[in-house]
Structures are given as structure tokens and as C-alpha cells.
Amino acid sequence: MKVLVVGANGKIGRQVVNMLEESDTHSVTAFVRKEEQVEELKQKGIEAYLGNLEGPVTDLEEAVKGMDAVVFSAGSGGSTGADKTLLIDLDGAIKVMEAAQNVGVNRFVMVSAFGANNREGWSRDMRPYYVAKHYADKALEQSGLEYTIVRPGGLLDEPAKDKIKVAGNLEISESDEKTVPREDVAKVIVTSLDNEKTYRKAFDLVTGEQSIEEALNQL
Ligand code: NAP
């Protein structure tokens, strides 16, 4: 598959780009927002597209055109306010969905957040973030696109454990694992791309006991 990674300079996005670049079955274009990021990618021989999620849908259509799939792993980050959360995590995501629909790209993998589907679990100070993730996910579910929504728990900068737990609605107790290495999230994204068991599915993801292949095949 030809895959556009949006948020390609991010901590998960970079790993997804590298995995796709090394894959025999996929090729990748990295969607980034700074000229120097384009240069860095080009020096590594990786295709890059310079764009901005705050720009018009027509610009995003240019980026998506000719792709087989889109991975959306962008986010405004913890140091910006609720305005940027709305503009990137919600409107940015929906604009990329619209662009994909407009140019006939059907496959869409979204990085959301653990519990974004369940209002009762949202912590008070993170509410705007969860609202953005929740409604972006809803829009994707209703878009008619062939979606996979991955909702990881707390992200760790550790090597992959290659052991995960996934479910449409993971019940987690106090003593359970609530985190997952970013590298495992990237692997789940790449493995999901052409695994039809993950199509039209939304699931929570944390470190667990199953291999990635096995866990995704049980969805
Ligand atoms: P990250 O490192 O902050 O990456 C986000 C990327 O989005 C950055 O590369 C950033 O670009 C890009 N971006 C922001 N605004 C943009 C714009 N206007 N146009 C184009 N690109 C833009 O995030 P991560 O750690 O990889 O996480 C990926 C996703 O997982 C995020 O959506 C996050 O909310 C979600 N998540 C996080 C946690 C957690 O524990 N932190 C848990 C679950 C889910 P620059 O590099 O240029 O800044």
C-alpha cells in the first residue's frame, strides 16, 4: 500500500514512517509541516509532503491523492491550549477524512486515545482533549471510510514489548497495565493497515499477553 503518514515528525509517526520505509509491501509519504523536516526526510531517501493541518482541505487533497491509505497520528501536544486541540486533533483530523473522501482514498487508520469513547472515564482537566478525540473518532466511524481506530493507553518511549491487549472497550482495574510503548503502537498501526480483521474497528490498546498478530486477529 502507498501510505500517507500525517504527524510523521511525531514520536509515533516517525516510527511508523521508518517501519513502512523498511517494509516490502508498503511505501510511505511523510506529511510534515516544516521545510527542515522535509529536508531531513529527503536526505534519508524518504518521500515527504510539506503541508499544514490548519490549511484548507484542498491542500490536504493534494497530499492524499494517489495514496491507498492514510495514517493520522498528529496531535497538538500537551503544551498548547484547547484552541489548538480543536484545530488539530478534531478539525485537522476531520479535514484529512474529507480530503480522503474527496479523492477516493478509502483506508484510514486513526491514533486516538484510551477511553475516548467513554465519557464517564474522562479526567476533568483533559476533557477538551477527549472531546476532540471522541468526535474525530465518531466522524470517522460515520464517514463510510474503511477505518481502524487505535486508542492507546499512556505512551512510553521504550522498546516494543511485542505483547499487547486490545478490546473494543477494555475494562482496566487499578492493578492492570495502562501503558504501551510507542513502538508497539507503531507496529499495531502498520500491522493493521492490510489486516481486514481491523477494518471498521475501534479498540483500546495497552501492553498485555498476546502477540500483535494474534490480538488483532481476534478483534
Ligand atoms: P507527537 O510526538 O506530539 O506528534 C504529533 C505530531 O503532530 C507532531 O509531529 C506535530 O508536528 C504534528 N502536528 C501538530 N500540529 C500540526 C499541524 N498543524 N500540521 C501538521 N502536523 C502537525 O505525538 P505522539 O507522542 O506521536 O502521539 C501521537 C498521538 O497519540 C497524538 O494524537 C496523541 O494525542 C495520542 N495519544 C497520546 C497519549 C500519551 O500518553 N501522550 C496517549 C494516547 C494517545 P511537529 O513535529 O512539527 O510539531
Side-chain angles (χ1 to χ4, degrees):
M1 280 181 167
K2 286 191 207 165
V3 186
L4 182 76
V5 178
V6 180
N9 190 56
K11 288 182 175 177
I12 290 177
R14 278 173 175 255
Q15 301 199 54
V16 173
V17 167
N18 291 336
M19 287 176 198
L20 291 172
E21 182 67 12
E22 284 165 17
S23 138
D24 296 329
T25 47
H26 301 296
S27 62
V28 65
T29 301
F31 182 101
V32 290
R33 59 172 162 167
K34 293 181 189 135
E35 195 71 64
E36 66 259 30
Q37 296 164 351
V38 173
E39 284 313 312
E40 187 192 323
L41 286 154
K42 286 198 169 152
Q43 275 169 20
K44 291 188 200 153
I46 298 172
E47 287 281 329
Y49 187 98
L50 183 63
N52 195 309
L53 288 167
E54 293 190 51
V57 174
T58 45
D59 284 0
L60 301 174
E61 286 173 8
E62 284 306 310
V64 177
K65 213 177 267 172
M67 298 291 151
D68 301 307
V70 176
V71 171
F72 188 95
S73 184
S76 63
S79 56
T80 56
D83 54 341
K84 288 288 179 195
T85 306
L86 272 182
L87 285 169
I88 306 306
D89 299 61
L90 179 57
D91 197 39
I94 291 178
K95 285 193 290 188
V96 179
M97 291 170 210
E98 286 178 15
Q101 287 173 311
N102 292 347
V103 301
V105 174
N106 216 24
R107 183 80 181 108
F108 201 111
V109 180
M110 169 71 102
V111 182
S112 178
F114 188 100
N117 56 325
N118 176 17
R119 274 192 196 93
E120 278 61 48
W122 298 350
S123 61
R124 206 178 176 78
D125 52 344
M126 295 278 285
R127 259 191 232 163
Y129 171 76
Y130 283 114
V131 168
K133 295 294 191 200
H134 179 78
Y135 285 99
D137 294 354
K138 267 210 156 160
L140 183 55
E141 285 168 344
Q142 291 166 2
S143 66
L145 294 168
E146 207 72 88
Y147 67 84
T148 299
I149 298 169
V150 183
R151 296 189 303 253
L155 298 173
L156 303 176
D157 289 320
E158 287 177 4
K161 296 195 168 89
D162 290 314
K163 293 286 178 198
I164 61 166
K165 178 150 78 169
V166 292
N169 223 333
L170 259 184
E171 305 268 337
I172 295 268
S173 68
E174 276 303 304
S175 58
D176 283 339
E177 188 63 71
K178 300 174 194 70
T179 59
V180 60
R182 283 182 169 87
E183 190 178 359
D184 280 321
V185 180
K187 287 185 174 191
V188 166
I189 292 166
V190 172
T191 310
S192 294
L193 273 168
D194 53 9
N195 180 342
E196 293 190 10
K197 293 268 172 57
T198 70
Y199 287 20
R200 295 184 182 255
K201 301 273 168 64
F203 53 89
D204 295 315
L205 162 68
V206 294
T207 291
E209 302 292 330
Q210 287 186 299
S211 73
I212 291 173
E213 213 50 72
E214 190 186 1
L216 296 182
N217 282 336
Q218 281 173 17
L219 281 167

